[in-house]
Amino acid sequence: MSKPASRKIALKKKEEIAGYLFALPAILGLLIWTIGPMVASLGISLTDWQILSAAKWVGFDNYRTVFTEDLFFKKSLLVTFYFAIGSVVFTMLASIVVALFMNYGVRGQAAFRTIFYLPTIVPIVASSMLWVWLFNPDFGLLNTVLKSVGLPTLMWIYDEATVIPSLILMSMWGCGSAALIILAGLQDVPKHLLEAVEIDGGNGWHKFRYVTIPMITPVIFFNLVMGLIGSLQAFAQAYVMTGGGPNNGTLFYVYLIYREAFQYNHFGYASALSWILFALIALLTAGVFKSSKAWVHYGGGK
Amino acid sequence: MRIRKTASFAVLLVCAALAAVPFLWLIRSSLMRTDELFIFPPRIWPEELLWQNYADVFDIIPFARYLFNTLLILIPVMIGVVLTSSMCGYAFARLRFRFRNAWFAVILSTMMLPSAVTLIPTFIMWSELRAVNTFWPLILPAWFGGGAFNIFLMRQFFMNIPRDLDESAVIDGASFLQIYIRIMLPLVKPALTVVAFFTFMNVWNDFFGPLIFLNEDSKFTLALGLLQLKGMYATDWNLLMAGSAIMVLPAIAMFFIGQKYFIEGISLTGIKG
């Protein structure tokens, strides 16, 4: 073998080793913090395990109980999806509106960006605290405003009928980060496409419907998926603001898991619940991805 | 066109007011006397600004201790995330090794995994190691690549560096470690800053982790301290708002320091921070 060739092979080997060494934290992390615990959790979900006693193998009993006997499970699933879908849809609509108006090139764009982004960096415990106070039926800001314009006041988070819409309203306060992402997408819409619509005699609506919307669907799609996955795992708002109430009206799914595991010490049962959540999210994500072929437009770009 | 611009400006102004009003209500309430909070109809602004409320929060609960605890977690987590995510991002972007893309795809897919699935075994593991109620469970995982999101972000930045830079360094006989430290890291400084800022925000905001792993109040972080304050002074909204403001202000200050990087980071990745 010639000298340069063997040197090349040695170098390739060196790169291989270096690659694994540099990626080692992530690979080990994947095994230790994700794959290992996933396998363990699946195993634990097949046992009756209350942390002080030994684990007892029960097969699929936990899953059977979840689906046939656990009334909290059904309620929790219902309120979790109600909140997740509501907050994702309304937050997305609000961020699209904000982004569209900002894209008109209004003055003070930097200031607007900052103001809309600020609510998203408020720590969740602090924003939960703040919103409990805003929702206060007697002395809170929201009812004060409603009363001052002559509208009937609401019980907000203290009534099962309005608690989820209230939390959706609160999550809309954080629409700024999605708005900025969509704005970045809007600014990438090629000018020549918009001009082409004009040349063909199209108006503003045509430009919006046939150029702008298709061009930003990938951004919307991505945020929809991540937003849905995130809000299906909502916990802190309910824990801090409502304690899961009223009448379990905000017993979000992760709250249910938390309660079973860390308040009742039902580790096996809680693990079964967590695998059901995992399966649901996986199914849902797959469904959204499948539907995306029909409405998400991937242009010639990257 | 002009009218349209003015109209958009007006709409945005209304939206901005809606976004800002809760902040004003937070500050307003934090500076009121307790009895002033419950006057009917509610007062828009306090009669006199009662800064004492902020001092009171520190007297009532050991807020300084909680701040210290938060920093004890924050600093090692930031170092771990910045160091290991940049290492892994470098490997996945620029080094060729077997199964590289498969590893990366699997790591990326963990972003969709609900953390509840790994929570219980992880908790049991830490409790077997007698490390519940220590900071280890909150710090150590950060040293394993710092999460899929940060690895992804770092990789994006490393991919944008021209290929001939490391190729010519290899020809000159530089080792991959030297390339990483001397050539790559200086070029991705903005990315390191983005990752550091996002990490600060995540740790500062983290509520679930401390709630699960810390159970003695000498170990509490600010987030848990605020919750404790709510448990003790459920109707003293001036104190609760002052406590919340104390938690919000550093996050906002951090945002203003790193604003440029934040905006860059979120528009680059398309993911919320």
Side-chain angles (χ1 to χ4, degrees):
Chain A
M1 205 179 278
S2 66
K3 225 175 164 200
S6 73
R7 203 181 151 230
K8 218 171 165 186
I9 290 171
L11 193 66
K12 234 185 137 187
K13 189 139 202 189
K14 251 172 88 182
E15 185 171 346
E16 176 100 359
I17 293 167
Y20 265 97
L21 285 178
F22 273 100
L24 198 62
I27 293 172
L28 280 180
L30 178 73
L31 300 174
I32 299 174
W33 305 113
T34 306
I35 294 180
M38 273 176 78
V39 174
S41 144
L42 192 61
I44 295 169
S45 78
L46 303 173
T47 66
D48 175 12
W49 192 1
Q50 327 220 345
I51 196 116
L52 292 173
S53 59
K56 199 173 73 195
W57 183 264
V58 293
F60 287 97
D61 269 9
N62 287 326
Y63 292 91
R64 202 169 304 139
T65 312
V66 170
F67 288 116
T68 56
E69 288 167 36
D70 192 341
L71 294 175
F72 290 124
F73 168 74
K74 263 181 223 146
K75 175 108 192 198
S76 170
L77 214 54
L78 203 75
V79 297
T80 307
F81 272 92
Y82 180 15
F83 170 74
I85 292 170
S87 79
V88 168
V89 168
F90 282 103
T91 306
M92 184 61 71
L93 287 178
S95 29
I96 291 174
V97 168
V98 168
L100 280 175
F101 280 114
M102 280 182 72
N103 195 39
Y104 270 132
V106 293
R107 264 176 305 148
Q109 212 181 81
F112 279 127
R113 272 171 195 267
T114 306
I115 293 171
F116 291 128
Y117 195 71
L118 278 184
T120 68
I121 58 171
V122 175
I124 184 81
V125 181
S127 62
S128 300
M129 213 76 95
L130 169 61
W131 279 84
V132 175
W133 179 224
L134 293 173
F135 285 135
N136 186 293
D138 298 315
F139 306 99
L141 174 66
L142 293 171
N143 272 354
T144 304
V145 172
L146 288 182
K147 215 175 280 174
S148 71
V149 294
L151 287 169
T153 58
L154 294 168
M155 286 306 286
W156 302 104
I157 56 170
Y158 300 98
D159 179 350
E160 200 186 348
T162 51
V163 65
I164 296 281
S166 302
L167 294 187
I168 291 173
L169 182 72
M170 174 186 162
S171 65
M172 284 172 72
W173 189 46
C175 75
S177 59
L180 292 198
I181 295 165
I182 293 168
L183 179 65
L186 286 173
Q187 285 166 348
D188 281 345
V189 173
K191 282 262 176 335
H192 70 263
L193 288 182
L194 296 170
E195 280 157 12
V197 176
E198 245 168 65
I199 290 165
D200 290 345
N203 58 24
W205 164 251
H206 291 130
K207 280 194 247 179
F208 179 66
R209 171 65 189 82
Y210 296 106
V211 178
T212 310
I213 287 278
M215 289 304 286
I216 60 169
T217 45
V219 180
I220 292 179
F221 172 70
F222 184 76
N223 279 281
L224 207 64
V225 174
M226 293 319 276
L228 204 58
I229 293 175
S231 43
L232 283 171
Q233 300 179 66
F235 170 79
Q237 305 93 307
Y239 187 86
V240 177
M241 297 172 73
T242 60
N247 187 24
N248 296 309
T250 51
L251 183 62
F252 289 145
Y253 201 92
V254 171
Y255 202 153
L256 181 71
I257 294 175
Y258 171 82
R259 212 168 67 168
E260 287 294 336
F262 298 101
Q263 289 178 348
Y264 307 151
N265 283 329
H266 296 157
F267 282 86
Y269 193 74
S271 297
L273 284 173
S274 74
W275 267 85
I276 293 167
L277 176 69
F278 179 34
L280 277 173
I281 287 183
L283 274 176
L284 202 74
T285 313
V288 177
F289 265 98
K290 206 151 190 197
S291 83
S292 75
K293 288 202 185 89
W295 63 273
V296 178
H297 170 89
Y298 290 103
K302 36 183 179 167
Chain B
M1 203 60 203
R2 200 103 178 237
I3 296 170
R4 200 181 277 176
K5 251 187 194 175
T6 316
S8 328
F9 188 75
V11 173
L12 283 179
L13 218 52
V14 172
C15 294
L18 291 178
V21 160
F23 285 110
L24 295 176
W25 199 255
L26 171 79
I27 301 301
R28 162 230 181 240
S29 311
S30 76
L31 296 170
M32 279 186 160
R33 295 190 316 271
T34 311
D35 63 297
E36 209 178 358
L37 293 163
F38 303 112
I39 294 174
F40 208 85
R43 215 169 249 171
I44 299 298
W45 202 249
E47 225 162 35
E48 57 174 327
L49 305 178
L50 203 63
W51 296 100
Q52 184 60 32
N53 289 337
Y54 285 79
D56 286 351
V57 171
F58 282 88
D59 288 341
I60 294 166
I61 57 168
F63 233 59
R65 171 88 230 175
Y66 299 158
L67 178 66
F68 182 66
N69 289 342
T70 309
L71 293 178
L72 275 185
I73 297 168
L74 182 66
I75 291 164
V77 166
M78 276 175 81
I79 297 172
V81 170
V82 169
L83 180 72
T84 59
S85 70
S86 67
M87 281 170 60
C88 300
Y90 169 61
F92 287 119
R94 309 195 74 90
L95 297 175
R96 277 154 297 194
F97 55 96
R98 225 169 298 169
F99 307 121
R100 178 183 74 174
N101 293 341
W103 281 118
F104 184 66
V106 176
I107 287 168
L108 209 57
S109 69
T110 61
M111 273 208 281
M112 305 212 171
L113 182 78
S115 55
V117 175
T118 55
L119 175 69
I120 290 160
T122 312
F123 177 81
I124 292 172
M125 187 193 88
W126 285 115
S127 90
E128 292 291 318
L129 293 170
R130 310 237 169 283
V132 169
N133 204 29
T134 70
F135 297 145
W136 286 109
L138 302 171
I139 293 172
L140 201 64
W143 285 75
F144 289 82
F149 170 74
N150 288 321
I151 296 173
F152 173 73
L153 201 144
M154 288 307 310
R155 178 175 171 271
Q156 292 294 91
F157 272 90
F158 278 115
M159 301 255 271
N160 287 335
I161 299 171
R163 196 88 228 174
D164 9 327
L165 267 179
D166 23 4
E167 268 159 17
S168 58
V170 167
I171 290 166
D172 291 347
S175 72
F176 291 107
L177 186 63
Q178 284 168 327
I179 295 173
Y180 164 71
I181 293 173
R182 300 240 181 92
I183 301 173
M184 294 295 150
L185 280 188
L187 288 174
V188 294
K189 256 189 207 148
L192 298 175
T193 320
V194 174
V195 169
F197 275 117
F198 279 140
T199 308
F200 172 89
M201 289 298 174
N202 285 341
V203 177
W204 192 259
N205 295 353
D206 189 18
F207 166 68
F208 199 62
L211 179 73
I212 299 288
F213 288 110
L214 307 175
N215 42 42
E216 230 169 75
D217 56 2
S218 66
K219 294 279 166 50
F220 278 5
T221 60
L222 278 177
L224 291 184
L226 199 54
L227 199 65
Q228 192 192 28
L229 191 68
K230 183 174 181 257
M232 292 160 69
Y233 296 87
T235 56
D236 290 299
W237 287 104
N238 47 359
L239 297 180
L240 294 178
M241 290 301 107
S244 304
I246 294 170
M247 246 201 113
V248 173
L249 288 176
I252 290 184
M254 214 54 183
F255 170 74
F256 278 110
I257 296 169
Q259 192 173 16
K260 194 179 122 219
Y261 299 106
F262 262 116
I263 306 276
E264 194 175 321
I266 60 164
S267 31
L268 188 88
T269 58
I271 300 177
K272 325 194 205 188

